[in-house]
Amino acid sequence: GATAHDAVDGDISNLVVINGAVDSGKPGVYNLYYSVKDKSGNSAATLARTITVVDKVAPVLTLKGPQSLTINAGENYEDAGATAHDNVDGDISKSIETLGTVDANKPGTYKVSYYVKDRSGNYAAAVVRKVTVVDNVPPVITLKGQPSITINAGENYADAGATAHDNVDGDITKSIKTTGAVDTKKPGVYTITF
């Protein structure tokens, strides 16, 4: 506000006229102009006041979905994202930047970080999601040929073998270990384990 005093009329503060307005919810520079006339119509020099409204409040980031989760390797993963709200700019979720990716096909621990700033340059406290990709699915071994075979003693026998596939490592046939052997000269029941 302002006060005004006239040599004849005394205190004429109640006659002060203020032109201009300040929007305290919107950063910017505002000017208020104060003018006054005494009862005889004599005008005082107009005074101006400059008010600068600043935004020093950081926006708030909020994760959508859990902060930490575990998925099986090979599963589809789509990050739930985050939302951001600012006291001046409102919803600024479209301005969120992310750092980090999740390789859902490779076991490990991944972090996805979210950052945002408002139009005044105030940064929100970053939020981070931890995604752990695990390989809990055992590989699959498939026999080549029949699971049970009968041959005559003395015949040649070559086992057809097996294949192995893992959802993370792919074809792991070369990693198959076998136990057991077949003595074709001696009749009996033999087991080969893969």
Side-chain angles (χ1 to χ4, degrees):
T3 59
H5 185 72
D6 182 70
V8 174
D9 298 333
D11 184 6
I12 56 172
S13 299
N14 63 331
L15 300 176
V16 173
V17 175
I18 303 170
N19 288 312
V22 176
D23 184 349
S24 63
K26 184 178 178 185
V29 177
Y30 300 91
N31 291 309
L32 296 179
Y33 300 95
Y34 299 88
S35 61
V36 68
K37 290 182 183 179
D38 64 15
K39 292 178 184 171
S40 299
N42 300 312
S43 295
T46 300
L47 298 177
R49 175 175 285 144
T50 300
I51 296 98
T52 303
V53 177
V54 295
D55 176 12
K56 297 283 188 185
V57 179
V60 176
L61 267 170
T62 305
L63 281 177
K64 292 164 106 177
Q67 184 176 10
S68 179
L69 66 134
T70 300
I71 63 169
N72 285 314
E75 285 183 7
N76 287 333
Y77 174 74
E78 187 173 324
D79 194 81
T83 60
H85 188 270
D86 184 65
N87 67 322
V88 174
D89 301 335
D91 184 357
I92 57 172
S93 299
K94 291 182 179 178
S95 299
I96 294 173
E97 295 181 19
T98 59
L99 178 66
T101 59
V102 175
D103 185 345
N105 294 311
K106 184 177 178 185
T109 300
Y110 300 90
K111 290 185 179 178
V112 180
S113 301
Y114 301 84
Y115 304 93
V116 72
K117 68 178 178 176
D118 62 18
R119 286 188 289 213
S120 296
N122 301 308
Y123 281 90
V127 293
V128 178
R129 184 182 328 276
K130 182 176 107 175
V131 180
T132 304
V133 179
V134 295
D135 181 7
N136 288 333
V137 179
V140 175
I141 298 175
T142 306
L143 289 175
K144 292 181 178 179
Q146 299 300 315
S148 182
I149 300 170
T150 302
I151 62 168
N152 292 318
E155 287 183 353
N156 287 334
Y157 174 74
D159 191 80
T163 60
H165 187 271
D166 184 71
N167 68 331
V168 173
D169 300 322
D171 184 359
I172 57 171
T173 302
K174 291 180 180 181
S175 299
I176 294 176
K177 305 269 188 255
T178 60
T179 60
V182 176
D183 184 352
T184 60
K185 296 176 187 169
K186 186 176 181 184
V189 177
Y190 299 92
T191 301
I192 299 176
T193 305
F194 298 88

